[in-house]
């Protein structure tokens, strides 16, 4: 074993000089090479969060470190030219300028100053932002070989990127040992983007001429060639454009709650747009050009958003010019669609109809069969001249029965308060009706003459029997117009309520009682509920034949439905078999919006069993009395004998 180790060590000692010779030969070969590869790494740096990084151009590869620590992204398609300025350098030094001063002068040169100098063009940077060129390491000046000096210049940009400063280098570059030429000289010209951001505000013009910020409007950005900006940036840096607006990659900018629209919504740093003209185009939600506003201040009741239609200039809502990262010449339209320079875009409200019922119905619900009066109001938009259709359609819930004749009169109120009574065309639908104002000449004229005004009409309905308590009973009113083909709708909800009960034994809650019967009375017991869900005057001590009778089932449960919120009474008219009616037959109860569905509000009503009485002719309690007397007598005799024994 020792001999083997000794042999291996001997071999290494012998071979080392040859290895050194091979290494020396490689160094000598590199030193005699007359060109050197220069590789440029082109990055865009995020200057919004920090200053440009200080990169030492010593020729070493720093790409991984730069991208990791400086949020740098490669720039594709950038071109460079290296100009041989060795003669310029030598001339300056011979005139007495030092090295630093000479390099500064060379750095400030322009391409027009070097038209007669030898030049070498780099290929455009690739997808990694990299380009390379092999450059001679020497240059002949006045018959003498000198170390080559170059000025590397970046070609003029399209305005989206700030051109990097010239770089002055002297070849060859050496490794850290100072004697071995680098196989690849890595250089990092520093660049920043000419970032721009145009923000503007989206407004909705309401029917009464008020202007409010409008959320939910969508825009796309077009260049002068009619192409649309994409969400995907080239290398995550430079914008790309496509021909199709419906492409999934097209960037869409949406107004926020304050109506603000900004390119920074999608591109946090802004955009490096090339010089030229750009236009924001507003997108509509459908073929008629409507957009839905989501601002809470612009809702009707709590169910329907106002709907706005886009202006006639939607294809060019805002146009602007970019020049070297500066936005100029902003053009837009004001709320009257006149030319403007304000950074704003306007939509026009398609007002939703408003439906009201009496306050008591809103707050307390409704009794079945009680009449409900609805009042419908539709604001007349300011741009009523653009409307070719103006109709209101009522669609009631199946639980509602509309009570109206085949005509309804409406009141048109102008913005100055002047009123006109009109009779629009009445069209009976399956369950509801439509009032068409533009189908009747005088009704159409009155509406068109009242921008900013309103139309109002009233009608009645009632809730049908059998409606589930606490369920929504909807009544929808929709505004049919040429701007919103699906109609701008408002739904008014009403409710009817009830309560549930359980009948059980007074002393055994597990024992539920079937067959108990009750009638329903109002709070002061002056009216009773009839079998057809009406109310009639009640006479104390009676059970009217038309009274609605509630009966407990085999589980002891029963319920009353179709009532408003309030306090009521149950009167027990028949007790369960083998049970007696309570001495006080009335039980008060409350109907609330949840008294039917919440088990915690289930009310319990109890009954007591009938007493057990002796039969006629029976001994009754005499037997119990005699037994008691006998026990007492026996006790007295016992204690007397005991006393005699003690005295003896």
């Amino acid at each position: 074993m020792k001999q083997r180790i000794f042999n291996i060590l001997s071999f290494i000692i012998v071979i080392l000089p040859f290895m050194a010779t091979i290494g020396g030969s490689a160094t000598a070969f590199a030193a005699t090479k007359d060109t050197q590869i220069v590789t440029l790494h082109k990055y865009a740096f995020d200057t919004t969060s920090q200053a440009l990084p200080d990169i030492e151009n010593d020729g070493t590869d720093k790409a991984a470190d730069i991208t990791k620590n400086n949020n740098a992204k490669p720039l594709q398609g950038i071109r460079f030219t290296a100009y041989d300025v060795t003669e310029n350098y030598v001339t300056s030094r011979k005139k007495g300028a030092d090295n630093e001063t000479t390099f500064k002068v060379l750095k400030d040169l322009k391409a027009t100053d070097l038209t007669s100098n030898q030049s070498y063009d780099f290929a455009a940077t690739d997808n990694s932002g990299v380009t390379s060129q092999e450059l001679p390491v020497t240059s002949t000046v006045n018959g003498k070989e000198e170390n080559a000096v170059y000025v590397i210049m970046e070609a003029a940009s399209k305005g989206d990127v700030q051109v990097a400063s010239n770089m002055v280098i002297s070849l060859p570059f050496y490794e850290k040992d100072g004697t071995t030429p680098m196989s690849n000289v890595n250089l990092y010209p520093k660049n920043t983007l000419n970032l721009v951001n145009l923000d503007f505000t989206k407004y909705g013009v309401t029917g009464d001429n008020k202007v409010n910020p409008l959320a939910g409007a969508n825009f796309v950005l077009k260049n002068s060639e009619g192409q649309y900006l994409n969400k995907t940036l080239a290398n995550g840096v430079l914008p790309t454009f496509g021909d199709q607006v419906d492409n999934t990659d097209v960037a869409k900018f949406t107004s926020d709650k304050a109506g603000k629209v900004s390119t920074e919504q999608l591109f946090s740093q802004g955009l490096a747009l090339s010089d030229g003209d750009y236009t924001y185009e507003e997108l509509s939600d459908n073929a008629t050009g409507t957009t839905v506003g989501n601002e809470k201040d612009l809702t009707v009741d709590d169910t329907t958003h106002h709907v706005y239609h886009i202006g006639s200039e939607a294809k060019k809502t805002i146009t602007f010019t970019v020049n070297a990262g500066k936005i100029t010449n902003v053009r837009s339209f004001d709320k009257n669609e006149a030319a403007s320079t304000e950074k704003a875009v306007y939509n026009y409200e398609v007002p939703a109809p408003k439906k009201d019922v009496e306050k008591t119905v809103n707050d307390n619900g409704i009794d079945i069969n009680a009449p409900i009066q609805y009042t419908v109001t539709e604001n007349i938009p300011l741009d009523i001249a653009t409307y070719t259709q103006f109709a209101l359609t009522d669609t009631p819930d199946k639980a509602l029965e509309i009570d109206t004749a085949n005509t309804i009169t409406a009141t048109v109120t102008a913005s100055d308060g002047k009123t006109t009574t009109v009779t629009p065309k009445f069209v009976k639908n399956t369950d509801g009706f439509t009032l068409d104002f533009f189908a009747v000449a005088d009704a159409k004229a009155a509406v068109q003459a009242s921008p900013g005004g309103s139309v109002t009409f009233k009608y009645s309905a009632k809730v049908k029997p059998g409606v589930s308590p606490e369920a929504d009973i909807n009544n929808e009113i929709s505004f049919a117009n040429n701007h919103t083909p699906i109609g701008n709708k408002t739904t008014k909800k009403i409710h009817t309520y009830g309560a549930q009960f359980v009948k059980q034994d007074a002393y055994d809650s597990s024992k539920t009682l079937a067959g108990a019967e009750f009638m329903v009375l109002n709070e002061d017991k002056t009216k009773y509920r009839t079998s057809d869900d009406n109310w009639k005057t009640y006479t104390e001590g009676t059970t009217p034949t038309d009274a609605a009778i509630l009966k407990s089932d085999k589980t002891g449960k029963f319920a009353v439905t179709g009532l408003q919120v309030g306090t009521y009474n149950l009167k027990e008219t028949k007790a369960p078999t083998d049970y007696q009616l309570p001495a006080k037959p009335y039980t008060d109860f409350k109907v609330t919006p949840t008294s039917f569905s919440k088990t915690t509000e289930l009310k319990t009503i109890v009954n007591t069993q009938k007493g057990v009485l002796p039969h006629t002719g029976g001994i009754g309690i005499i037997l119990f009395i005699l037994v008691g007397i006998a026990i007492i007598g026996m006790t007295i005799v016992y204690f007397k004998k005991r006393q005699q024994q003690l005295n003896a």
Side-chain angles (χ1 to χ4, degrees), residues 41-58:
H41 299 260
K42 183 67 170 176
Y43 293 104
F45 293 93
D46 178 9
T47 57
T48 60
S49 60
Q50 59 186 16
L52 281 172
D54 185 15
I55 301 173
E56 182 183 1
N57 279 305
D58 57 7

Side-chain angles (χ1 to χ4, degrees), residues 288 350 378 381 383-393 434-439 444 447-448 478-487:
T288 58
V350 180
E378 174 64 51
D383 62 331
I384 186 63
T386 67
Y387 283 69
T388 59
Q389 184 183 14
F390 195 101
L392 290 154
T393 297
T434 295
L435 293 185
D436 190 342
F437 285 80
F438 277 15
K444 179 178 181 179
V447 171
Q448 289 183 328
S478 60
F479 175 35
N481 59 87
N482 53 293
H483 290 299
T484 54
I486 60 172

Side-chain angles (χ1 to χ4, degrees), residues 80-93:
F80 295 86
T81 299
Y83 293 92
D84 185 341
V85 293
T86 310
E87 184 175 353
N88 304 64
Y89 175 82
V90 171
T91 301
S92 177
R93 293 303 304 271

